[in-house]
């Protein structure tokens, strides 16, 4: 959460930083700010909310060095005062942070006793004052930043712009991501390399506790604990410079939903030989865990379902934020499969850090090349969905699931069949995405948009789809949607059904269909407005007031079903006038706990 950008070089620094911040806005959009170094002075511009100001309107001079920050508020409300970056009392340096200073209140009290004063409610201002305190003692500014940083607890990455020396930036990474881009006579720093891959593919990824010092177009890396210089490795990124514009669409979300016809194919574009190392370790491992948070957590559940039902592999699906209770039973012969879009989710990384220390093998199903989870993994598998900009994840979910499906089928000698099934889903989606289908969904939206409580029933292959469908709609429509297994209905949820309560039933042509029809009858008998989502063979069933047919698929019907909830979520949020791509209070990359 929060995005950091820095630049030193021949181009207009505020242009580069502004572009970078726009790319990183998915990390938080409560406020943003840019600070440029201008003849040993610092000029700042900050704004609340999303980035609306264009470069031509930015009241900042053209200079060769700047830093910027886009905020997802942790400590202190969304105000101009709390917006980063935060300047020092003497105005000779300015700082931005991504993370949380866990011991900030102890440090603040200590500093207040020494007569330091605070203007903001942020934990970040504490770092500024700590550096001020250090500058009175240390020989170099680098040492002051380093020593102040060493007093912090938590996962935090900082960037500091120094006004006293030309083009001087210092950054320290711990927990939250940071990458350096090396261009010709220019250097870029950013929380995500995507912010600068348009200019360079040569990237240095940092280890925790690395300190990076930029002076002009030169840089050095130090160990922030010892202050000793460190060697570094330049990685050449492979991924193409991806299109991150909305194209002809009003929102990234719709663009990304429609892209699924192609992205699911990219996710399974692996040869059987590429999967072999993972298959071998799955066969050998004592126990297999799969973990992910949010939508990636539901993808983990779906992948575990495919491994269990297709290849008889027992996979324990555990959310990373609840993993600590498994630590005592985790063994070095265990395999952990991490599922993540960004590869930067703090909870997931913490589990992997623990497992790595123990010697477990780590595999991952991820979207972002060079991300922390990618680099921590012994067996990383990229799903190549391209940048996913909308906070609500769509194409990455289906890509992760089809990769899991391919893996499960490959384990039982059905690699080719799996590829064919994904291809068939892809062509089905190509035909499905039509105005006619959209209008049918919009018709339903019109009739339900004023209701506030909704339920989704699924079962077996559609259990996680019910959860993901409900999450998708909650995220951007802010309506209370609850998904659960149909088996739970009579154990409590049915008490909430009133006249007109919309209840969605996900129904595939499988062994659960009869149970789902009965469950639908039961809620209908209590006045529910019933909506079927699934195989068109059920469209005429009397229990449904409305039916949304999906793309036919033999083994991937769960994924056909989820696409309908993605579209429903989009059209509902749109009709409510909500901010579709940047829903309130959320951020795409949850890098703090
Ligand atoms: C946030 C995002 C979700 C995502 C989850 C995990 O909640 O909004 O879309 O599923 O984080 O993120 P990851 O990057 O690990 O998939």
């Amino acid at each position: 959460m929060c995005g950091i950008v820095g630049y030193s070089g021949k181009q207009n620094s505020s242009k580069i930083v502004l572009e970078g911040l726009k790319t990183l806005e998915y990390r938080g959009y409560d406020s943003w700010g840019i600070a440029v170094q201008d003849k040993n002075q610092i000029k700042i511009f900050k704004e609340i909310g999303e980035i609306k100001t264009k470069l031509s309107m930015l009241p900042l001079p053209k200079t060769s060095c700047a830093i910027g920050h886009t905020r997802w508020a942790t400590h202190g409300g969304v105000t101009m005062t709390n917006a980063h970056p935060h300047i020092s009392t003497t105005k000779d340096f300015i700082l931005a942070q991504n993370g949380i200073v866990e011991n900030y209140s102890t440090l603040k009290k200590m500093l207040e006793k020494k007569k330091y004063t605070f203007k903001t409610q942020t934990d970040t201002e504490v770092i500024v004052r700590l550096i001020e305190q250090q500058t009175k003692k240390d020989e170099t500014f680098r040492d002051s930043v380093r020593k102040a940083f060493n007093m912090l607890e938590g996962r935090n990455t900082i960037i500091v712009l120094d006004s006293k020396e030309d083009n001087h930036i210092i950054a320290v990474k711990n927990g939250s991501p940071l990458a350096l881009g090396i261009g010709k006579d220019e250097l870029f720093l950013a929380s995500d390399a995507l912010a600068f891959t348009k200019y360079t593919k040569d990237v240095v990824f940092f280890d925790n506790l690395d300190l990076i010092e930029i002076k002009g177009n030169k840089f050095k890396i130090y160990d922030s604990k010892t202050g000793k210089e460190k060697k570094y490795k330049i990685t050449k990124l492979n991924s193409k410079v991806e299109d991150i514009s909305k194209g002809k669409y009003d929102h990234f979300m719709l663009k990304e939903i429609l892209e699924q016809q192609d992205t699911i194919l990219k996710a399974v574009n692996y040869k059987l030989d590429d999967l072999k190392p993972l298959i071998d370790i799955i066969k050998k491992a004592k126990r297999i865990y799969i973990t992910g948070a949010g939508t990636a957590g539901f993808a983990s559940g779906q992948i575990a379902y495919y491994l269990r039902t297709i290849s008889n592999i027992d996979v324990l699906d555990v959310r990373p934020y609840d993993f600590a209770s498994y630590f005592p039973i985790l063994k070095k012969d265990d395999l952990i499969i991490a599922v993540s879009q960004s590869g930067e989710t703090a909870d997931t990384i913490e589990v992997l850090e623990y497992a790595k220390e123990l010697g477990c093998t780590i595999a991952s199903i991820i979207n972002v090349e060079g991300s922390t989870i990618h680099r921590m993994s012994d067996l990383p598998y990229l799903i190549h969905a391209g940048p996913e900009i909308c906070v609500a994840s769509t194409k990455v979910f289906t890509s992760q699931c089809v990769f899991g499906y391919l893996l499960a089928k490959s384990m039982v000698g059905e690699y080719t069949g799996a590829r064919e099934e994904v291809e068939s889903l892809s062509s089905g989606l190509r035909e499905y995405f039509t105005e006619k289908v959209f209008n049918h969904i919009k018709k339903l939206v019109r009739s339900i948009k004023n209701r506030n409580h909704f339920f989704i029933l699924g079962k077996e292959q559609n259990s996680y789809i019910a959860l993901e469908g409900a999450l998708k709609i909650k995220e951007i429509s802010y309506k209370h949607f609850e998904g659960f297994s149909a088996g739970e209905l009579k154990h409590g949820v049915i008490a909430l059904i009133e006249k007109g309560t919309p209840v969605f039933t996900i129904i595939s042509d499988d062994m659960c269909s009869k149970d789902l029809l009965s469950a639908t009858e039961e809620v209908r008998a209590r006045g529910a407005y019933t909506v079927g989502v699934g195989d068109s063979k059920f469209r005429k069933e009397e229990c449904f007031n409305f039916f949304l047919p999906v793309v036919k698929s033999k083994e991937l019907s769960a994924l056909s079903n989820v696409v309908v909830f993605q579209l429903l979520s989009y059209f509902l949020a749109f009709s409510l006038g909500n901010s579709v791509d940047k829903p309130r209070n959320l951020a795409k990359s949850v890098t703090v706990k």
Side-chain angles (χ1 to χ4, degrees):
M1 289 168 145
C2 298
I4 286 174
V5 184
Y7 177 77
S8 169
K10 58 199 175 205
Q11 303 192 57
N12 175 5
S13 63
S14 35
K15 169 183 177 274
I16 302 292
V17 171
L18 185 67
E19 273 175 15
L21 290 181
K22 277 197 183 146
T23 310
L24 297 188
E25 249 191 321
Y26 70 84
R27 306 178 67 86
Y29 32 84
D30 286 333
S31 63
W32 62 281
I34 299 181
V36 302
Q37 189 195 48
D38 183 31
K39 302 184 202 86
N40 297 105
Q41 282 189 354
I42 291 170
K43 305 269 167 63
I44 314 163
F45 180 77
K46 297 184 190 184
E47 207 170 58
I48 299 290
E50 293 177 29
I51 302 176
K52 298 243 165 65
T53 302
K54 296 210 161 43
L55 179 67
S56 56
M57 302 300 286
L58 206 61
L60 288 172
K62 276 193 186 169
T63 77
S64 57
C65 186
I67 65 167
H69 182 269
T70 175
R71 180 172 189 238
W72 187 87
T74 59
H75 295 58
V78 179
T79 61
M80 280 294 262
T81 317
N82 290 333
H84 297 218
H86 296 288
I87 195 147
S88 63
T89 315
T90 49
K91 302 200 175 355
D92 51 6
F93 72 89
I94 187 160
L95 176 148
Q97 189 213 179
N98 171 195
I100 290 178
V101 181
E102 285 172 3
N103 57 337
Y104 97 99
S105 81
T106 319
L107 292 170
K108 193 168 176 178
K109 279 185 203 128
M110 178 271 285
L111 289 160
E112 277 168 341
K113 271 196 197 139
K114 294 182 182 172
K115 304 283 177 250
Y116 285 93
T117 56
F118 292 83
K119 292 193 186 76
T120 78
Q121 290 81 50
T122 65
D123 52 342
T124 305
E125 200 182 4
V126 166
I127 317 175
V128 176
R129 300 287 171 266
L130 285 174
I131 297 175
E132 285 174 19
Q133 173 182 258
Q134 282 304 130
T135 52
K136 292 179 189 145
K137 307 178 194 163
D138 299 317
E139 267 180 36
T140 65
F141 186 57
R142 181 177 77 237
D143 263 340
S144 300
V145 173
R146 184 174 77 75
K147 290 182 188 168
F149 190 85
N150 288 340
M151 291 180 222
L152 311 178
E153 286 170 16
R155 292 174 170 267
N156 20 53
T157 292
I158 59 167
I159 188 163
V160 192
L161 176 67
D162 171 26
S163 72
K164 299 180 296 305
E165 198 176 329
D166 282 350
N167 292 53
H168 190 202
I169 296 176
I170 295 177
V172 196
K173 180 217 141 95
N174 187 26
S176 310
L178 188 68
L180 176 85
I182 307 170
K184 194 171 177 308
D185 297 328
E186 56 185 352
L187 295 168
F188 306 80
L189 274 170
S191 305
D192 181 341
L194 195 61
F196 56 70
T197 39
K198 175 169 156 190
Y199 298 105
T200 179
K201 292 292 193 62
D202 291 333
V203 180
V204 179
F205 292 108
F206 301 110
D207 294 329
N208 282 340
L209 303 178
D210 278 358
L211 180 148
I212 304 96
E213 183 170 37
I214 292 178
K215 288 186 175 189
N217 57 12
K218 305 255 180 314
F219 70 94
K220 284 186 178 168
I221 318 284
Y222 301 87
D223 178 323
S224 67
K225 283 277 173 240
T226 62
K228 288 211 178 94
E229 199 178 331
K230 279 184 70 179
K231 292 213 170 82
Y232 57 85
K233 192 175 116 219
I234 301 177
T235 305
K236 201 156 206 57
L237 292 183
N238 293 318
S239 38
K240 289 201 297 304
V241 177
E242 302 271 1
D243 174 22
I244 42 174
S245 73
K246 284 190 267 215
K248 60 181 182 185
Y249 301 98
D250 290 334
H251 300 96
F252 281 106
M253 185 173 189
L254 185 58
K255 178 175 178 247
E256 288 162 4
I257 292 173
L258 302 189
E259 276 172 7
Q260 290 176 108
Q261 50 193 304
D262 301 317
T263 49
I264 55 170
L265 293 177
K266 289 184 185 160
V268 295
N269 196 12
Y270 278 98
K271 298 198 185 76
L272 186 55
D273 275 353
D274 302 329
L275 302 174
K276 283 267 305 154
L278 181 54
I279 292 176
D280 289 346
I281 196 87
I282 288 178
K283 285 183 182 156
K284 262 197 272 157
K286 271 252 153 52
R287 195 164 201 186
I288 305 154
Y289 294 85
I290 190 161
T291 193
T295 291
F298 299 151
S300 309
Q302 196 66 18
I303 295 168
Y305 172 85
Y306 291 138
L307 285 165
R308 210 165 48 238
T309 55
I310 296 170
S311 30
N312 287 337
I313 298 288
D314 177 19
V315 182
L316 210 56
D317 165 36
V318 187
R319 299 285 80 80
Y321 38 77
D322 288 335
F323 212 116
S325 59
Y326 290 83
F327 286 165
I329 53 171
L330 200 61
K331 302 273 173 339
K332 76 170 183 5
D333 301 327
D334 294 341
L335 164 70
I336 307 229
I337 305 175
V339 182
S340 174
Q341 189 285 127
S342 63
E344 299 295 350
T345 297
D347 286 311
T348 311
I349 291 172
E350 262 200 21
V351 171
L352 300 187
E353 282 170 351
Y354 185 91
K356 212 171 172 64
E357 186 91 344
L358 209 66
C360 305
T361 306
I362 294 172
S364 57
I365 304 171
I366 37 165
N367 193 35
V368 178
E369 188 192 359
S371 59
T372 305
I373 296 179
H374 185 192
R375 287 177 292 117
M376 286 177 88
S377 305
D378 304 298
L379 296 168
Y381 287 88
L382 287 163
I383 45 141
H384 301 293
E388 191 181 59
I389 306 296
C390 176
V391 167
S393 179
T394 53
K395 62 176 178 174
V396 165
F397 176 78
T398 47
S399 287
Q400 287 165 335
C401 292
V402 290
F403 177 86
Y405 169 75
L406 178 74
L407 177 66
K409 293 282 277 185
S410 303
M411 292 201 68
V412 291
E414 292 176 23
Y415 166 85
T416 311
R419 293 274 306 251
E420 283 166 8
E421 186 70 6
V422 177
E423 275 159 27
S424 143
L425 177 62
S426 161
S427 28
L429 288 175
R430 211 171 294 279
E431 284 166 28
Y432 182 75
F433 290 137
T434 56
E435 277 308 312
K436 193 173 162 217
V437 168
F438 298 166
N439 286 337
H440 190 52
I441 299 174
K442 286 183 199 166
K443 188 173 165 203
L444 175 68
V445 164
R446 282 193 293 278
S447 66
I448 60 169
K449 67 184 266 194
N450 294 323
R451 310 285 314 193
N452 288 315
H453 301 282
F454 302 79
F455 300 95
I456 308 182
L457 309 174
K459 204 168 175 185
E460 292 285 352
Q461 63 169 321
N462 288 310
S463 278
Y464 274 103
I465 302 305
L467 301 182
E468 171 57 11
L471 174 64
K472 216 55 9 195
I473 301 174
K474 271 184 268 201
E475 280 178 303
I476 62 169
S477 75
Y478 317 140
K479 297 274 189 188
H480 170 225
F481 251 83
E482 198 178 322
F484 52 91
S485 173
E488 276 299 314
L489 183 66
K490 293 186 275 297
H491 298 287
V493 190
I494 202 161
L496 298 169
I497 309 297
E498 295 172 347
K499 192 168 178 329
T501 306
V503 177
F504 289 74
T505 301
I506 313 178
I507 187 156
S508 293
D509 187 10
D510 62 15
M511 61 183 182
C512 302
S513 60
K514 284 205 178 74
D515 293 348
L516 285 153
L517 290 174
S518 306
T520 312
E521 289 288 7
E522 288 157 11
V523 292
R524 192 153 182 243
R526 284 152 182 89
Y529 178 74
T530 55
V531 182
V533 172
D535 195 299
S536 58
K537 80 180 253 198
F538 301 105
R539 68 186 311 161
K540 293 265 156 38
E541 290 290 340
E542 268 188 26
C543 59
F544 295 121
N545 293 113
F546 200 94
F547 198 88
L548 296 168
V550 306
V551 175
K552 281 224 183 266
S553 169
K554 256 198 303 213
E555 289 189 322
L556 292 172
S557 68
L559 303 185
S560 307
N561 296 334
V562 86
V563 169
V564 176
F565 287 101
Q566 296 170 347
L567 286 167
L568 180 69
S569 161
Y570 174 74
F571 291 124
L572 182 57
F574 186 71
S575 77
L576 292 166
N578 294 352
S579 169
V580 171
D581 288 332
K582 296 190 187 113
R584 71 181 182 208
N585 302 341
L586 299 179
K588 191 155 186 70
S589 189
V590 181
T591 56
V592 296
K593 295 212 316 161

